[in-house]
Amino acid sequence: MAKQTMKDILNRMLNHEELTRDEMKDILVGITHSEYPNEQITALLTALQMRGATVDELLGFRDGILETGVPALLNADRYIDVVGTGGDRKNTFNISTTSCFVIAGAGYKVAKHGNYAATSVSGASNVIANHGVHFTDDIDKLNRCLDQAGIVYLHAQLFAKAMKFVGPIRKALQFPTIFNLLGPLVNPSQPQCQLLGVANLDQMRLYQQVYQRIGIDYGIVNSIDGYDEISLTGDFKVCTGYSQAANSSAISYERVFSPADIGFEPAKPEELRGGATEEEAKQIFDAVLENRALPAQKHIVLANAAFGIQVLERGQKSIEECIEIARESIDSGAALRTFKKFVELNK
């Protein structure tokens, strides 16, 4: 069957047709081969955004990004990534990144995937680079770091080569596109576990279907007041799922929690803010790991880390148990020691 032209694809989009997973993968690969003019790519991204991407369309672009990118083959059987979709415009401190070091400090393996900030003051790559860390795609260095520190950081720009082809278009469009949804799905190490924060319940449903198709263990969290993480500023929803092939006894659930349900006081929005500069964001990150942060800042990290630990444990530990594991990681200094070792290995 002859490959469709972008004209054919766009005509189908105008007729409200959905594209298949293979078609979307071919389009993504074609973009990296400069097969289409920017105007056609712009039209496709706009049409997808107006209609809303399907699960197959999202998976197809994911397949293309992973195929054209640099893989990160890690020597570990089970590890997690904690990440948010971003775009909630709340300018919180680096909650996911801090949580990753707390999880690693508790003895679990972590492969954190991230980038520079898009809508906040400091993204994961900003706060890590500001500690003198040099990013790498050298697989030997990454595996040494995972072995010795329990955590690696995968800077997205070194791995997802396709993204540079659409960067100028995305910047010019100035509205979210399907690529904003792809960030959490294209970790080049393809982790078996993920805790994902989403900004709304529609995204929660979409990613739930995507994770079920990929076949990984997941937790998806959303704060009802619009944070793409557990903010403790009010009620939050969590849904979890586990690959049946991995463990048929894994306990999955979908429920709404209040901060009090997991033993915490409600937080105030101003207590979550990441500051006005990268340096202020760095200071909050350090304060949490050094166990001298505001109680609300520590509690928010404990909550997010705990739900990540519960995914790693396939739901076999209660959230209360997981909170205590996370608390011990901070209180004992293990999280801080883990971070210092990570920095030492990546100078």
Side-chain angles (χ1 to χ4, degrees):
M1 185 176 174
K3 184 177 177 180
Q4 295 184 77
T5 66
M6 182 60 80
K7 180 181 177 182
D8 297 329
I9 294 288
L10 292 174
N11 279 326
R12 288 176 56 199
M13 296 291 292
L14 290 171
N15 288 326
H16 307 287
E17 293 181 41
E18 296 177 359
L19 304 179
T20 68
R21 183 169 178 172
D22 285 342
E23 286 170 339
M24 288 294 280
K25 177 184 172 183
D26 288 345
I27 290 169
L28 193 285
V29 173
I31 289 171
T32 66
H33 293 160
S34 302
E35 292 179 9
Y36 313 116
N38 285 352
E39 292 82 358
Q40 290 184 336
I41 300 171
T42 299
L44 175 69
L45 296 181
T46 303
L48 282 168
Q49 190 65 18
M50 290 177 71
R51 167 165 60 73
T54 67
V55 172
D56 272 336
E57 288 166 347
L58 199 56
L59 286 170
F61 260 25
R62 174 183 183 265
D63 293 342
I65 288 173
L66 292 174
E67 182 176 296
T68 57
V70 177
L73 304 175
L74 300 180
N75 298 331
D77 292 331
R78 191 168 176 81
Y79 50 89
I80 195 168
D81 185 10
V82 181
V83 64
T85 54
D88 63 8
R89 302 197 178 274
K90 302 287 191 181
N91 192 33
T92 52
F93 71 94
N94 300 94
I95 294 169
S96 295
T97 309
T98 316
S99 300
C100 281
F101 285 98
V102 173
I103 293 170
Y108 300 93
K109 300 291 188 185
V110 179
K112 171 66 177 158
H113 180 231
N115 210 335
Y116 293 118
T119 58
S120 61
V121 169
S122 177
S125 291
N126 300 89
V127 75
I128 287 175
N130 283 330
H131 285 86
V133 167
H134 291 100
F135 303 130
T136 183
D137 60 1
D138 183 312
I139 196 62
D140 291 333
K141 289 182 180 178
L142 291 170
N143 274 309
R144 189 180 316 121
C145 187
L146 185 63
D147 180 56
Q148 295 184 25
I151 183 169
V152 289
Y153 185 72
L154 306 170
H155 178 55
Q157 294 179 16
L158 295 179
F159 296 91
K161 300 301 185 182
M163 301 304 266
K164 70 180 180 183
F165 291 90
V166 295
I169 296 170
R170 294 176 68 196
K171 189 171 183 181
L173 283 175
Q174 295 193 342
F175 58 74
T177 70
I178 188 173
F179 287 101
N180 294 75
L181 297 173
L182 283 163
L185 301 176
V186 293
N187 183 319
S189 72
Q190 299 189 48
Q192 306 84 353
C193 306
Q194 192 160 44
L195 182 74
L196 172 67
V198 297
N200 59 63
L201 296 179
D202 286 341
Q203 287 184 353
M204 179 174 278
R205 292 277 169 259
L206 177 66
Y207 283 108
Q208 195 172 15
Q209 295 176 66
V210 169
Y211 285 136
Q212 287 167 353
R213 291 277 294 279
I214 295 171
I216 67 171
D217 297 342
Y218 66 86
I220 309 174
V221 305
N222 165 251
S223 289
I224 306 300
D225 52 356
Y227 288 88
D228 69 333
E229 52 225 339
I230 298 167
S231 64
L232 299 182
T233 50
D235 290 355
F236 59 94
K237 187 168 188 176
V238 181
C239 71
T240 65
Y242 302 94
S243 168
Q244 291 304 305
N247 186 342
S248 60
S249 68
I251 302 166
S252 60
Y253 61 86
E254 184 170 329
R255 64 169 284 196
V256 175
F257 294 85
S258 71
D261 288 338
I262 58 172
F264 295 123
E265 295 288 324
K268 298 173 183 174
E270 57 266 26
E271 294 175 308
L272 279 71
R273 293 200 183 113
T277 64
E278 289 188 22
E279 179 58 30
E280 288 179 20
K282 174 179 178 284
Q283 289 171 5
I284 297 170
F285 174 89
D286 291 346
V288 176
L289 294 183
E290 292 168 6
N291 203 15
R292 54 179 181 79
L294 295 174
Q297 292 169 336
K298 178 180 178 180
H299 295 165
I300 288 157
V301 169
L302 289 177
N304 285 273
F307 279 95
I309 290 168
Q310 192 176 53
V311 172
L312 281 158
E313 294 284 357
R314 294 192 176 99
Q316 302 293 325
K317 289 187 184 295
S318 70
I319 196 59
E320 291 77 14
E321 289 176 287
C322 296
I323 288 169
E324 288 313 305
I325 292 169
R327 192 188 303 277
E328 176 65 15
S329 177
I330 292 179
D331 290 353
S332 69
L336 180 61
R337 289 192 296 275
T338 293
F339 180 66
K340 286 181 174 178
K341 183 66 175 178
F342 167 81
V343 172
E344 176 193 320
L345 291 166
N346 290 280
K347 284 283 192 181

